Amino acid sequence: DSGVTQTPKHLITATGQRVTLRCSPRSGDLSVYWYQQSLDQGLQFLIQYYNGEERAKGNILERFSAQQFPDLHSELNLSSLELGDSALYFCASSVRAFSYEQYFGPGTRLTVT
Amino acid sequence: GENVEQHPSTLSVQEGDSAVIKCTYSDSASNYFPWYKQELGKRPQLIIDIRSNVGEKKDQRIAVTLNKTAKHFSLHITETQPEDSAVYFCAANNNDMRFGAGTRLTVKP
């Protein structure tokens, strides 16, 4: 157990809908990262937050957005969902910025039907 | 931005043999290189990492080497065991973490 928690574990929804994924970092970690992993694919970096502020953006679609709250938990919002958005979404956390060990949560499996 | 290439995509070895996975990166400013192991349906787990001021790092049966000049780094697993079977990802990071495509390692008993 890495100490990073994610909810929900599984999510099934229809095309065009909107969902919110939630992540709580390890105690003491200030950075939160979101990754997308499609079937048999690698990990695609989406976005990073550090102490409430957006720090870096990767391959995140405009339909997706995220934020980090004062208690450091983060939410990833996915809207106008398409079949191709079906994937595992991982959250990771680290003490500081990128060049530090990242610990991954168990992931949320999103299925868009 | 950073581009990380990883080879091979699949690797099959006999139990007890060594396994080597190689990665190259493009951004010379990248300074942190972690390796993750991911078992089917589970989270990626950090197994070893190396920073740009170090050439080699070992942790029991696992070692990582870094060649900054050539911009490549490698994971070495010795005395492989069936429980080493998993997908391994390398990554390179400056201000933006980029992962390789992964190597599916199978260790046959």
Side-chain angles (χ1 to χ4, degrees):
Chain A
D1 185 357
S2 65
V4 180
T5 60
Q6 286 186 249
T7 56
K9 209 170 185 177
H10 301 278
L11 199 48
I12 301 174
T13 189
T15 54
Q17 295 298 305
R18 172 189 168 95
V19 297
T20 296
L21 313 183
R22 183 188 168 105
C23 167
S24 291
R26 293 186 321 161
S27 176
D29 284 0
L30 299 179
S31 261
V32 170
Y33 313 78
W34 286 98
Y35 294 90
Q36 180 192 56
Q37 186 174 41
S38 302
L39 193 62
D40 287 339
Q41 296 287 314
L43 288 153
Q44 297 293 321
F45 166 65
L46 296 178
I47 197 163
Q48 180 209 1
Y49 281 82
Y50 177 73
N51 206 19
E53 300 287 327
E54 183 184 303
R55 176 70 188 265
K57 249 183 178 176
N59 304 319
I60 189 166
L61 300 172
E62 283 192 15
R63 300 183 285 108
F64 295 0
S65 65
Q67 58 184 129
Q68 186 179 28
F69 295 86
D71 67 352
L72 300 177
H73 90 272
S74 177
E75 292 180 357
L76 179 67
N77 301 296
L78 315 176
S79 61
S80 303
L81 285 167
E82 302 174 0
L83 294 177
D85 297 327
S86 296
L88 256 177
Y89 290 84
F90 286 105
C91 163
S93 74
S94 69
V95 171
R96 296 173 79 175
F98 265 112
S99 296
Y100 288 83
E101 297 85 347
Q102 292 185 27
Y103 294 92
F104 282 74
T108 292
R109 181 170 294 282
L110 173 67
T111 303
V112 182
T113 61
Chain B
E2 177 65 274
N3 182 45
V4 178
E5 294 193 359
Q6 183 172 347
H7 300 280
S9 57
T10 60
L11 179 59
S12 181
V13 299
Q14 286 295 136
E15 182 177 0
D17 287 351
S18 294
V20 180
I21 302 170
K22 298 182 180 182
C23 289
T24 60
Y25 62 99
S26 60
D27 186 353
S28 55
S30 288
N31 55 14
Y32 176 63
F33 306 90
W35 286 87
Y36 286 86
K37 174 183 179 183
Q38 187 178 27
E39 296 174 5
L40 191 63
K42 298 200 174 171
R43 74 187 83 195
Q45 289 192 292
L46 179 69
I47 56 171
I48 196 167
D49 57 12
I50 192 168
R51 298 187 187 278
S52 57
N53 57 347
V54 174
E56 183 175 359
K57 185 175 177 181
K58 267 187 179 179
D59 183 3
Q60 299 181 341
R61 297 186 295 109
I62 293 173
V64 57
T65 58
L66 171 65
N67 183 326
K68 280 178 59 180
T69 305
K71 289 190 277 189
H72 66 70
F73 56 114
S74 301
L75 178 71
H76 304 252
I77 307 174
T78 58
E79 300 170 26
T80 54
Q81 300 166 3
E83 49 266 39
D84 294 330
S85 296
V87 178
Y88 290 81
F89 292 98
C90 64
N93 139 56
N94 180 12
N95 287 315
D96 184 350
M97 182 83 95
R98 298 287 173 166
F99 283 80
T103 296
R104 185 175 299 279
L105 173 65
T106 303
V107 180
K108 298 180 200 173

